[in-house]
Amino acid sequence: MNRQTRFYALAARYVALLSFLLLLSFSAFSHASTQKFSAQEIDEILYHIHTYYVEDLPLSRYNAGNLSSLFDNLDPYSKYLNEEDLESIFSAANGRYTGLGIEVEEQDNYVIILDTLPNSPAAQAGIESGDKLHAINGANVAGKSIEEVSALLKAANKNLINLVVLRQDELVALELKRQEIVIESVASKLLNDGTGFLSVNSFNHHTYHDVARHINRLQVQLGSPLKKLVIDLRDNPGGTLNSAVAISDLFLDSGTIVTTKGRFYDANQAYIAKRGDILNGAPILVLINNNSASAAEILAAALKDNKRALVVGLRSYGKGSVQSLIPIGNGTTALKLTTARYYTPAGTSIEGKGIEPDVYFTKQALSLLDKSAIITGEESIKTTGIEQLASHWPKALALVQSQ
């Protein structure tokens, strides 16, 4: 069996073309610098990068002594994955991952909590949005990067983790333990006048069925087809390509959903919508912000470019590359390698550019649209955001009727 045939035989055992922006996990996937590779593994790594990487790189100068510098020259999404990393990727694709359940970003020399997942260790311990990580198991992390914080959290393994956070100029001590979290990727609520609100938090292997199930539930609750739908993709870091394509196809009767382009033959694909629109043409608004990425951008662009929805919010993140999992050795480790770029139905690359909304909302206006408040039905000033959003329905309706 030659090397290329062996690759396809191994790759068939894995889910290919996964595209993740891992904002929900502290997995850094940076083991290549310390990993000791056999001569066969080095040959495989160089072969796969030469054959499948989205850019043609000169590889003749790389060997066992400087292989880590090769990974440094790849794009940020291409990594060597050890056995633990590979399992984490498959778990995430199935809506599960082991961790604390926090979304973070770096601000003002702190790693700041953006949000916590429902029923996660972080939520149960009382971590709040806006908390600044100050210490982990007694080690001060002020001024440290997300990668450094990640290393400290991973070093804690599954033992009890003691965190100190800075909350409104007060230090708060919290205790929590990493555990497996089942991610609910979709939530929904029926709003006034037959409008459905659908919050999609990630794209895993279950999200397509969850979206269809939630829409059916809303229509049963209404007693008739939905008149309008809001799809909230804010802070959605993405997920699997197949999930994004399938969900886009739910709302499209025809047209291109997305195309991918790379250097090897199978990286060049065009995904076309099949007949059948689950909403029968009812107007759609899609909400995006700066943290909407990858699969979320595919869905937003597919509905926007096919004039099926009005996209509202802020320019999206701009993560427009396809990662394929390529097994190494006996298949317990792999390369997560960028093999193609996404292109919208209009032919625009998403990478580094993101999706431009049809209607810009300021961050302040978007913050009024608190998805948890909408879903739980809480009455607050945030409901004024829904009123502002509703003013754009005539434009959405005009878009649909102009097709």
Side-chain angles (χ1 to χ4, degrees), residues 224-236:
S224 65
L226 290 174
K227 295 180 175 61
K228 309 165 188 171
L229 180 67
V230 177
I231 304 176
D232 192 346
L233 301 177
R234 290 173 298 163
D235 301 318
N236 183 318

Side-chain angles (χ1 to χ4, degrees), residues 56-76:
D56 189 7
L57 299 179
L59 301 178
S60 57
R61 62 188 178 90
Y62 293 105
N63 52 47
N66 62 1
L67 195 64
S68 62
S69 63
L70 169 58
F71 285 94
D72 293 338
N73 287 326
L74 301 179
D75 74 309

Side-chain angles (χ1 to χ4, degrees), residues 148-375:
E148 292 171 308
V149 170
S150 169
L152 284 172
L153 286 171
K154 293 198 76 173
N157 201 9
K158 295 185 182 300
N159 297 324
L160 207 61
I161 299 173
N162 294 295
L163 295 184
V164 177
V165 300
L166 182 61
R167 182 182 297 166
Q168 297 178 350
D169 300 323
E170 181 181 350
L171 292 177
V172 179
L174 302 164
E175 199 174 71
L176 62 165
K177 184 177 181 179
R178 185 185 293 108
Q179 66 185 41
E180 184 177 274
I181 302 168
V182 178
I183 301 172
E184 295 291 338
S185 62
V186 180
S188 64
K189 182 175 178 62
L190 186 63
L191 304 178
N192 295 334
D193 303 324
T195 298
F197 180 87
L198 200 67
S199 175
V200 183
N201 301 311
S202 63
F203 289 80
N204 60 50
H205 295 325
H206 307 293
T207 307
Y208 165 77
H209 298 288
D210 290 342
V211 167
R213 178 169 50 85
H214 276 267
I215 289 176
N216 182 64
R217 180 188 298 170
L218 291 173
Q219 296 189 137
V220 169
Q221 185 179 347
L222 180 63
S224 65
L226 290 174
K227 295 180 175 61
K228 309 165 188 171
L229 180 67
V230 177
I231 304 176
D232 192 346
L233 301 177
R234 290 173 298 163
D235 301 318
N236 183 318
T240 66
L241 171 62
N242 288 342
S243 177
V245 170
I247 293 167
S248 299
D249 202 2
L250 275 176
F251 306 106
L252 292 172
D253 223 9
S254 62
T256 299
I257 295 172
V258 67
T259 57
T260 62
K261 298 179 183 179
R263 289 195 305 115
F264 77 102
Y265 179 80
D266 286 341
N268 298 279
Q269 301 285 341
Y271 297 86
I272 309 298
K274 298 182 288 292
R275 291 194 62 80
D277 174 357
I278 194 171
L279 294 180
N280 294 315
I284 300 173
L285 282 184
V286 176
L287 288 172
I288 61 172
N289 66 6
N290 302 140
N291 293 322
S292 304
S294 186
E297 294 175 290
I298 290 174
L299 175 57
L303 299 186
K304 177 188 176 185
D305 287 359
N306 283 290
K307 296 186 178 181
R308 182 64 188 89
L310 192 73
V311 177
V312 175
L314 301 170
R315 184 202 297 262
S316 62
Y317 184 87
K319 197 276 184 181
S321 56
V322 184
Q323 280 70 55
S324 298
L325 294 183
I326 303 176
I328 297 294
N330 63 5
T332 59
T333 61
L335 291 179
K336 180 164 74 78
L337 200 63
T338 295
T339 54
R341 307 283 189 208
Y342 295 131
Y343 291 82
T344 69
T348 302
S349 171
I350 298 172
E351 184 66 24
K353 299 177 182 178
I355 305 302
E356 291 278 358
D358 297 299
V359 178
Y360 270 88
F361 262 29
T362 64
K363 287 188 177 181
Q364 291 76 13
L366 280 177
S367 67
L368 293 175
L369 293 165
D370 186 285
K371 64 176 69 181
S372 61
I374 294 168
I375 291 167

Side-chain angles (χ1 to χ4, degrees), residues 100-133:
L100 305 181
I102 53 179
E103 297 181 24
V104 300
E105 71 177 10
E106 290 181 46
Q107 286 183 19
D108 303 324
N109 293 321
Y110 276 99
V111 173
I112 296 182
I113 307 297
L114 295 178
D115 202 0
T116 61
L117 294 177
N119 302 316
S120 65
Q124 293 166 5
I127 290 179
E128 298 178 4
S129 176
D131 285 350
K132 300 177 180 179
L133 287 179

